[in-house]
Amino acid sequence: SMASPHVGGAATLLCAMCPAVCRNVDLMQELLQKSAKPLFPSKGSRLCGGDTYSSYPNSHFGYGRINVYEAISMCRDVN
């Protein structure tokens, strides 16, 4: 999956801009998940794992599109 390098890059940027999350994996995961733009499969797509077209997270896109800017903003608001 090409999600891994994107998440790794996002985590690196988040850590550089908000050092408080560098060793707090749970907070980093929460920030990345909550700041992601939800995406949903199009109608007619094959679904799996009990997903519906409105399931979130889902097996097509997970939590959605990463929004690093929003994650950094959220982190700065917390700290």
Side-chain angles (χ1 to χ4, degrees):
S1 166
M2 285 304 297
S4 297
H6 289 91
V7 173
T12 302
L13 283 171
L14 184 56
C15 190
M17 298 303 295
C18 192
V21 302
C22 283
R23 302 225 182 255
N24 189 338
V25 176
D26 292 333
L27 178 58
M28 185 178 292
Q29 179 179 353
E30 180 181 346
L31 290 170
L32 289 172
Q33 288 175 346
K34 287 185 175 180
S35 63
K37 179 185 189 289
L39 298 174
F40 303 95
S42 58
K43 299 290 184 205
S45 298
R46 293 186 66 186
L47 301 175
C48 62
D51 280 355
T52 64
Y53 290 108
S54 60
S55 295
Y56 179 78
N58 59 61
S59 59
H60 282 255
F61 300 106
Y63 283 88
R65 183 176 298 129
I66 289 176
N67 185 340
V68 181
Y69 181 83
E70 181 64 25
I72 292 168
S73 297
M74 291 170 67
C75 181
R76 290 184 172 166
D77 289 345
V78 169
N79 293 309

